[in-house]
Amino acid sequence: MLINCVAYQDGKKLADLPIDDISDYVERPDCFVWVALLDATPDELKQMQHEFSLHELAVEDAQRGHQRPKIEEYGDSLFAVVKTVEMVGDELVLGEVDVFVGANYVLSSRTNCSQGFLGVRARAEREPHLLRQGSAFVLYALMDAVVDRYFPVLDALESELEAIEDRMFDSGTERVNIERLYQLKRKVMVLRHVVGPLMEAVGKLHGGRVPPLAHDTQEYFRDVHDHLARINATLDSIRDTISTAIQVNLSMVAIDESEVNKQLAAWAAIFAVFTAFAGIWGMNFKFMPELDWQYGYPAAVAVMCGACGYMYYLFKRSGWL
Amino acid sequence: MLINCVAYQDGKKLADLPIDDISDYVERPDCFVWVALLDATPDELKQMQHEFSLHELAVEDAQRGHQRPKIEEYGDSLFAVVKTVEMVGDELVLGEVDVFVGANYVLSSRTNCSQGFLGVRARAEREPHLLRQGSAFVLYALMDAVVDRYFPVLDALESELEAIEDRMFDSGTERVNIERLYQLKRKVMVLRHVVGPLMEAVGKLHGGRVPPLAHDTQEYFRDVHDHLARINATLDSIRDTISTAIQVNLSMVAIDESEVNKQLAAWAAIFAVFTAFAGIWGMNFKFMPELDWQYGYPAAVAVMCGACGYMYYLFKRSGWL
Amino acid sequence: MLINCVAYQDGKKLADLPIDDISDYVERPDCFVWVALLDATPDELKQMQHEFSLHELAVEDAQRGHQRPKIEEYGDSLFAVVKTVEMVGDELVLGEVDVFVGANYVLSSRTNCSQGFLGVRARAEREPHLLRQGSAFVLYALMDAVVDRYFPVLDALESELEAIEDRMFDSGTERVNIERLYQLKRKVMVLRHVVGPLMEAVGKLHGGRVPPLAHDTQEYFRDVHDHLARINATLDSIRDTISTAIQVNLSMVAIDESEVNKQLAAWAAIFAVFTAFAGIWGMNFKFMPELDWQYGYPAAVAVMCGACGYMYYLFKRSGWL
Amino acid sequence: MLINCVAYQDGKKLADLPIDDISDYVERPDCFVWVALLDATPDELKQMQHEFSLHELAVEDAQRGHQRPKIEEYGDSLFAVVKTVEMVGDELVLGEVDVFVGANYVLSSRTNCSQGFLGVRARAEREPHLLRQGSAFVLYALMDAVVDRYFPVLDALESELEAIEDRMFDSGTERVNIERLYQLKRKVMVLRHVVGPLMEAVGKLHGGRVPPLAHDTQEYFRDVHDHLARINATLDSIRDTISTAIQVNLSMVAIDESEVNKQLAAWAAIFAVFTAFAGIWGMNFKFMPELDWQYGYPAAVAVMCGACGYMYYLFKRSGWL
Amino acid sequence: MLINCVAYQDGKKLADLPIDDISDYVERPDCFVWVALLDATPDELKQMQHEFSLHELAVEDAQRGHQRPKIEEYGDSLFAVVKTVEMVGDELVLGEVDVFVGANYVLSSRTNCSQGFLGVRARAEREPHLLRQGSAFVLYALMDAVVDRYFPVLDALESELEAIEDRMFDSGTERVNIERLYQLKRKVMVLRHVVGPLMEAVGKLHGGRVPPLAHDTQEYFRDVHDHLARINATLDSIRDTISTAIQVNLSMVAIDESEVNKQLAAWAAIFAVFTAFAGIWGMNFKFMPELDWQYGYPAAVAVMCGACGYMYYLFKRSGWL
């Protein structure tokens, strides 16, 4: 589905174009065309391939989807695959933005991603001195928008971790914690696979050998790279913490169990003493003088309770109860 | 066993060749010969070595089999070892495809691999403009076919992992889960040893210093590299998840056990109380007035059951039962 | 908030400047201006951007805060983000120092950091032969001051680890230890994220390709780098020790539990024997001759106690009790 | 002990030499001397140092032994230390082969290694067209022979791992398994320390900057490197599997224990019920009508057994027994 | 404290110098001065700085101590920090040797290190042809001496590990083992932090870009590097083994516990059966014919013991007892 198809000149909007005119405008050296597609059909992509003379392999990748984030050079043009991440309920939903960038065109194709990039275009149009920098700046603006949307997801993951940590040392929460830690780990890994390869790819747009297209916008891409590095470091840190937390959880289970065991042992001991006395006085020997005493019974119960009470006190003192 | 032996000119099929004519055609500069062997015998390989002037060490490797995936340069020619992976029942079966590539020949030798590459040849013959790119393109097409067949195997591993995850937090499934996780890990490692070295090898066919043969098909090999990188990343992710899952499994066992322990402790306590009362009234003291009461017995049973019931209620409330 | 705004010439203080005069002094080739801000407002930063012609992206970063430590080149100038760490009670508090460095100016902006850098300025002013080296030396002096403040924090973490280690092999301390180890790990990770990226960034200020500004002060930056490497190595070592300690803790829990279990088993056995004898003599058979003996009762108790005492001795000897 | 001392010319054996003539032959440009020592004494090494003008540090290394595998350049000559591995009973025995290689000599010194290299020499003498390539080829042939002997050791380790795996999920084998896994891990690590540094060293004999001596035999050394890489990958894989297997073993212990615990709990419950009933009817109340019934006793036993039987059935159904 | 201060010419000792003459001799091109300090005071270092024109930052480092091992270039001179390690009782004691090396001087300053380097000087003086190589050779000789002293420490750690391993699979030793493993790990980490950075630093004195001073002694430094690499590899191996051993220890605890548990369960079952029978015959039913039998009592005891004996046999057979 075509969302926008606009020609710009000198940083200012020239006209909304019909698709068939694109190739004419692309040939004009002072002009620059920015097209946005949503859930593009194979036919639309074929048409765009024809208008912009896109490389076959790049178009194939865009059609198939499920690519790793990457930025590839095809001759003078770039093909970028960027993943969007959205929190829907408790789940991470991945979408994909494919961007074809040439000297004077940008074609972005968005798939499975509820939030659009109209804001990016609007902001760019409000700042002609930036838009004048051409297609590489638009690529930057799109990437920056996608990456900015990673931060709330990252924050959600961090909050989830903190929520787990708050309950981690409470006994009885181990089953829930371990399950939540596992789910969190899975989400962190999804996000890492979105962020990691992109960071690596963006790293090639500044510093060493940079594609000519991106040469004058290096500092902008370094900024994106820096954001991605920050997200990545935080993800690493969450991941490391989760590993430790799983180990700690296991320790907590073991500690809890060992305390239950101690209580079990203590009570078993107390009742064993009680039963032992009762067993003695339940024996059927003929000559057991205490059985005939007037206050033998209450005395016996007192002795039994006394012994048990003393044991209870001992166990209490040593921390077993 | 010889499967095919065809000469091509200008991207179109020229003729099926008898083996002895190969060397003649290989010498014609505008021609290009594509031979496919299946489970080649040492004699066949010797014959091919002679016709194509293959390097001794490469032929030895092809004969011995069980090589790591690799791509080696011998002068102007390349020798590629690629592993095929097939799911047979619940097992991974490895095969090997050895490809010798020269300026105007391709010799592929397939071993222990049920699925052939006739489809690759057919598709190549349908697209003469691609086949015209020569032997490097055929190498690409063969590799691409092999790598495409990794994906269903990868999907099977991912499904297996998901199946395990679905049952991971059910108690009582730990024994089965741990065994399945272990088997899955083994399979993942097999696939990694197939994918990892190949990815590394293909990485040398695009980007930096590229063998002259592959120079014009770099973008195709980058595409294969990209697929391999994707598979590798997924494998890493599965592997990491398995490690976590094994740890989680251990935690689940411990949690289950600690719950059983608590139940054991609770019931032991209840019955200990019961037995304690029974012990008291089973003692043989002469003067135990309650023993003579008319309703002493039902009252005693009521007290015993009441005490136990109250304890049951307490344990229930605290979550031990 | 402006703290200082001073112009220097030839290593000596020239004058305190009003903000509006900065740009005049910055243009004088023999002069050098050093400005310090505290918790700078957006307006102040805007004013500074104007006076020093700072790069937009750098100013944005300084405004937003929460950057990773980094050193970026913008043309001839440098933009450094350094994190300060302070121990407040038991918590690590992070602050940020952003330093803009040009050929003849240094602008430092401190945020959320209680301790200032007046001492740095005072020392620099006392040693004109060093200050004469210009803005790069000031950058070094500021960094050195920040990094020096990492050491007491590091020492606190090491002391904490030692305190945990001292109690690690005492039984009964596992719950506290695991919690403290977890908190310590978190702090170590915070410090690592402060130190690691900074070390990497400072590494680019000596050795290979060095920004022209820092060319003559390489040895100083190597010194800072060295300090950071030392901190980093210590952090790695603490981290590694914590991992091991967590594992050891789990082992200690298990060992403790297994000892409790043995005691439980031993006492259960002793009382089971006691109860068994009592059970025998509590049976209601008619013909049990020992029941009629004069000293049957004391003999029975003696036998019971003797058997139990002997078992106690056996368990004691085998280390179960 | 001197094993062999032969001069070759043009790939063919010229003569067995007395030691003192070595230096004469070494000086003849068309000649090449190959000497083999076994458990060389310091005096023999000194003599050889003199004849071949070996570098002092290399000879020292050969004398001291216990070196890491390595290949070092001393001027135009190479000094290679290669470790041999033999399976003696259940133990790995390490030996060492030190090879000094110059333009026209090879001196190999074998220590603590039962198997010799006469086969290598015989094969080389049978193929003069290969031997003609000179001393680097001999170095290759020796290394190849040593590395080929790693494979049976590797196979033994893999078989051992498989033997452990076959019993891993049987309960009751944990103690044996963990001990065998630990021993296996130790052996794997020994082999890794033999293979890893050698692989690294051989990697420098092909590809990038290669010592002039080895320049024409690069493809042979790449072959050795490839074998070593294969062994190394397999070792990594075994190592990784062992780690997982140790974790799995721990899980199996825990699962076994938790099942024993459940059985213990179930039987305890059954007998507790039985004892409770017996306790009730063992009380000494006067008015317990059922005690006077004619068939009270068998009825009581029936009730007791019935209750226990029903509990048994319940536990059986829930999988605890 | 000054230990030695000697001038050498052409590899031979010229004279013991008073400190004030050092600078005169250092200026003579054919001469070379070697000074050794022990626990140098700040004043001594200041004096030396003046005599040798040492760099301020290097002297500061030497004064402060607690540096990481490193080798730094200051112009044409080198500054090396090397750590000594001594086993005192069961503890590792770290010392530091700081060496300042210029074209014709060596100044070594030893701190907290009981063993001196007089032997190094004596040996060097005995071999003038080596000493003639100048200050870099002395640096090598000092380093070699320090590194040689690491080996006995390494051996002690390996012996400790073997001692632990010998008892690792004995039950009942877990508490001691885990504590010893932890202490050993700590020591290994200390040694690693001594060896690792030094290895890295020495690696820069041979191979690629080498400081001019060390140019002719590269092969010597490669030798030191090789020793360090060997120590490092052994340390890695010990470390890895310790990790595995800790895991194994945990498994052993769990296995031990599970066996105790089985015994506990078995004995509990046997006594439960005994008690059940005693309970039956302790009931007060009127009509229990066996109670009136002449040999009822011995028969009952026989039945009880028989049942328990049979159970004992069953448990014995299944390995629980």
Side-chain angles (χ1 to χ4, degrees), chain B residues 55 66 68 70 73-74 175 182 185-186 189 193 239 261 281-284 291-293 297 300, chain D residues 165 168 219 222 226 229-230 233 237 240-241 244 252 255-256 259 261 284-288 290:
Chain B
H55 192 284
H66 302 296
R68 298 170 68 221
K70 64 182 172 184
E73 285 184 80
Y74 286 98
R175 190 181 280 274
Y182 186 79
K185 172 103 189 249
R186 290 290 268 168
M189 275 160 68
H193 281 102
R239 218 171 137 231
N261 246 18
W281 288 312
M283 292 192 296
N284 297 322
L291 295 185
D292 301 325
W293 296 349
Y297 175 46
Chain D
E165 282 182 327
M168 197 157 66
E219 279 161 1
R222 188 177 61 190
D226 203 67
R230 190 145 44 104
S237 161
D240 195 5
T241 304
T244 309
M252 293 309 296
I255 291 172
D256 272 16
E259 282 170 9
N261 245 18
N284 296 321
F285 286 95
K286 280 254 167 63
F287 305 101
M288 294 175 73
E290 65 269 43

Side-chain angles (χ1 to χ4, degrees), chain B residues 22-137:
Chain B
I22 291 174
S23 50
D24 304 339
Y25 279 80
V26 166
E27 269 157 30
R28 285 158 61 169
D30 53 345
C31 213
F32 135 70
V33 180
W34 180 359
V35 180
L37 297 176
L38 172 61
D39 296 325
T41 62
D43 284 349
E44 286 173 333
L45 280 173
K46 188 130 276 175
Q47 204 178 8
M48 290 300 161
Q49 177 177 11
H50 178 253
E51 292 293 326
F52 290 115
S53 322
L54 305 175
H55 192 284
E56 198 181 358
L57 283 171
V59 175
E60 251 178 50
D61 279 354
Q63 233 168 72
R64 276 203 244 159
H66 302 296
Q67 303 296 312
R68 298 170 68 221
K70 64 182 172 184
I71 299 175
E72 288 179 345
E73 285 184 80
Y74 286 98
D76 294 338
S77 65
L78 292 177
F79 171 57
V81 176
V82 183
K83 291 280 184 185
T84 60
V85 181
E86 292 168 319
M87 233 19 197
V88 174
D90 207 37
E91 290 296 308
L92 293 187
V93 175
L94 294 190
E96 193 171 320
V97 181
D98 301 312
V99 192
F100 300 81
V101 189
N104 41 10
Y105 67 87
V106 172
L107 165 61
S108 75
S109 165
R110 178 159 61 91
T111 317
N112 194 25
C113 163
S114 65
Q115 237 183 318
F117 296 100
L118 289 175
V120 174
R121 191 182 288 262
R123 216 172 321 127
E125 289 179 352
R126 276 200 306 275
E127 306 191 87
H129 70 283
L130 292 174
L131 193 52
R132 202 172 294 142
Q133 302 185 45
S135 53
F137 180 79

Side-chain angles (χ1 to χ4, degrees), chain A residues 1-8 15-19 22 32-41 44-45 47-48 52 96-100 105-111 115-122 125 138 142:
Chain A
M1 196 170 77
L2 185 76
I3 307 254
N4 277 106
C5 178
V6 185
Y8 296 87
D16 280 292
L17 298 185
I19 292 179
I22 290 174
F32 136 69
V33 179
W34 180 357
V35 180
L37 297 176
L38 171 61
D39 297 324
T41 62
E44 285 172 334
L45 280 174
Q47 203 177 10
M48 289 301 160
F52 289 114
E96 193 171 320
V97 180
D98 301 311
V99 192
F100 301 82
Y105 67 86
V106 172
L107 165 61
S108 74
S109 165
R110 177 160 61 92
T111 317
Q115 236 183 318
F117 296 98
L118 289 174
V120 175
R121 190 182 289 263
E125 289 178 353
V138 173
L142 286 169

